[in-house]
C-alpha cells in the first residue's frame, strides 16, 4: 500500500510561540528536530508491517525544516515548495491509499493554540466555507477526498483533532497539546513520538475500511484578510467578489476550482 504524510510544525509537541516555528528563532532547531521525529515515528508505524511505500512532505513554510537523516531509509522526502494547485500536496494523486496529517494546528479564528492560523498568519484573518470555519486540515482533507483518498490520521493540537473527528468519518487522532491563553499544556515529545508510531501502525491495518468526508455539491467560500488592500487586490481573481472591505467571496461546484482560488489569493 502507498501512504502520504503531510507535516506541519505548529501542531507538534511543545511548540508554543511563533518564534519557535521560524528559522530565525533561538528555539527553532529543537522544534524542527521534533517535527522531523514526529514524521519519522509516523513513517515507522506505517512501515512496521512491511511492504508499504511512504512519502513524507515538509509542509511548513519553505518546506525545508525536516532533517531527512532522521527518517527511515525506506521513506522519500519532498522538500521545498511545489506550487501545486492542489496545495502543498506535491506528487499526491489517486494512487495513494491514505493521507496522514502530522503536526497540524487549529484554524485562524480559534483559541486552541497560540499559533492557530490558516496558511499565512499575517494575511488571513479567517476562512469560511459554506459557513463553517476552515483551516489547513479542512483544506487538505477535502483535497484528498477530491482525489478519492481518505485522510486516515490527524495529529496536532486538541482543537484540530476535534475538528477532524467532526469532519472525517472514522479518522484516528492524536492530540499533542491544548492551548492555554498564550501558552500550551503539552505532552512530552517522547510520549507523542511513541503514540504516533503505535497509532500509525494500527491505522494502516484499518486503511481498507476508511471513509471519505462528503464533498458538498457547492462551495461558498468567504476569505477575510487582515488588511483591506489584500482583499481589494485579490478581488480581481475571476469569479471573486468583494463583499466587504476585507472579505472576498467565491462560489464553485468544483472543489478543484476552490483550491485554485485559494492558491492564487492566499
Amino acid at each position: 500500500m502507498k501512504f502520504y504524510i503531510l507535516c506541519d510544525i505548529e501542531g507538534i509537541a511543545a511548540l508554543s510561540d511563533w518564534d519557535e516555528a521560524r528559522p530565525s528563532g533561538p528555539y527553532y532547531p529543537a522544534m524542527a528536530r521534533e517535527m522531523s521525529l514526529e514524521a519519522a515515528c509516523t513513517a515507522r508505524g506505517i512501515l512496521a508491517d512491511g511492504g508499504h511505500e511512504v512519502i513524507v512532505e515538509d509542509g511548513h513554510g519553505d518546506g525545508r525544516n525536516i532533517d531527512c537523516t532522521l527518517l527511515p531509509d525506506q521513506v522519500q522526502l519532498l522538500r521545498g515548495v511545489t506550487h501545486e494547485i492542489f496545495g502543498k500536496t506535491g506528487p499526491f494523486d489517486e494512487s495513494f491509499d491514505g493521507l496522514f496529517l502530522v503536526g497540524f494546528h487549529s484554524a485562524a479564528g480559534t483559541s486552541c493554540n497560540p499559533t492557530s492560523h490558516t496558511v499565512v498568519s499575517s494575511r488571513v484573518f479567517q476562512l469560511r466555507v459554506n459557513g463553517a470555519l476552515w483551516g489547513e486540515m479542512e483544506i487538505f482533507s477535502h483535497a484528498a477526498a477530491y482525489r478519492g483518498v481518505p485522510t486516515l490520521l490527524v495529529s496536532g493540537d486538541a482543537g484540530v483533532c476535534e475538528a477532524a473527528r467532526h469532519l472525517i468519518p472514522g479518522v484516528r487522532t492524536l492530540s499533542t497539546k491544548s492551548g492555554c491563553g498564550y501558552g500550551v499544556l503539552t505532552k512530552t515529545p517522547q510520549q507523542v513520538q511513541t503514540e504516533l508510531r503505535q497509532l500509525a501502525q494500527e491505522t494502516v491495518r484499518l486503511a481498507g475500511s476508511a471513509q471519505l468526508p462528503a464533498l458538498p455539491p457547492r462551495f461558498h467560500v468567504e476569505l477575510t484578510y487582515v488588511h483591506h488592500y489584500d482583499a481589494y487586490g485579490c478581488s480581481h481573481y475571476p469569479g471573486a467578489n468583494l463583499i466587504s472591505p476585507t472579505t472576498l467571496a467565491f462560489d464553485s461546484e468544483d472543489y478543484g476550482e476552490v483550491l485554485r482560488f485559494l492558491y492564487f489569493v492566499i
Side-chain angles (χ1 to χ4, degrees):
M1 300 180 80
K2 189 175 176 182
F3 299 99
Y4 203 96
I5 306 172
L6 178 58
C7 302
D8 207 348
I9 202 169
E10 288 89 358
I12 64 170
L15 187 143
S16 63
D17 184 88
W18 288 110
D19 283 347
E20 296 174 341
R22 294 168 177 153
S24 59
Y27 298 105
Y28 167 79
M31 296 298 111
R33 177 177 172 82
E34 176 58 18
M35 179 185 181
S36 303
L37 290 171
E38 291 189 17
C41 288
T42 304
R44 288 192 177 93
I46 294 172
L47 295 166
D49 292 331
H52 301 308
E53 179 180 346
V54 178
I55 290 180
V56 172
E57 180 173 354
D58 187 329
H60 175 63
D62 62 4
R64 295 184 295 174
N65 310 276
I66 290 177
D67 181 351
C68 59
T69 67
L70 297 174
L71 299 177
D73 291 343
Q74 307 95 312
V75 168
Q76 290 182 290
L77 173 65
L78 178 64
R79 300 185 80 232
V81 179
T82 64
H83 295 292
E84 287 284 337
I85 293 296
F86 285 87
K88 296 181 179 178
T89 46
F92 186 83
D93 59 24
E94 295 86 350
S95 68
F96 285 87
D97 295 290
L99 174 66
F100 289 67
L101 301 178
V102 175
F104 269 62
H105 52 82
S106 296
T110 67
S111 60
C112 304
N113 183 337
T115 57
S116 293
H117 67 284
T118 300
V119 188
V120 181
S121 60
S122 61
R123 186 172 171 90
V124 176
F125 178 76
Q126 193 175 91
L127 172 65
R128 289 190 175 273
V129 178
N130 294 342
L133 190 66
W134 271 32
E136 293 161 38
M137 181 276 295
E138 289 84 358
I139 293 171
F140 294 127
S141 60
H142 279 86
Y146 185 73
R147 294 286 203 181
V149 179
T151 299
L152 302 177
L153 183 149
V154 176
S155 75
D157 64 60
V160 76
C161 289
E162 181 179 357
R165 290 191 296 270
H166 178 74
L167 174 68
I168 307 166
V171 71
R172 310 297 292 275
T173 62
L174 175 59
S175 175
T176 60
K177 60 192 174 187
S178 56
C180 298
Y182 199 65
V184 297
L185 182 64
T186 181
K187 293 179 180 177
T188 65
Q190 295 87 341
Q191 182 180 358
V192 168
Q193 292 163 29
T194 298
E195 291 180 358
L196 269 173
R197 180 169 182 164
Q198 293 172 345
L199 188 60
Q201 184 175 1
E202 294 169 7
T203 299
V204 165
R205 293 170 179 169
L206 301 173
S209 60
Q211 301 179 57
L212 300 174
L215 291 174
R218 187 169 185 83
F219 297 87
H220 174 72
V221 182
E222 293 189 4
L223 176 61
T224 301
Y225 294 86
V226 174
H227 303 293
H228 65 88
Y229 46 79
D230 286 329
Y232 175 73
C234 292
S235 69
H236 303 297
Y237 184 88
N241 298 298
L242 196 63
I243 60 173
S244 83
T246 57
T247 301
L248 282 186
F250 180 79
D251 291 275
S252 180
E253 296 177 359
D254 183 351
Y255 188 63
E257 291 305 314
V258 172
L259 291 170
R260 190 185 307 275
F261 167 74
L262 295 175
Y263 177 84
F264 283 103
V265 303
I266 298 178

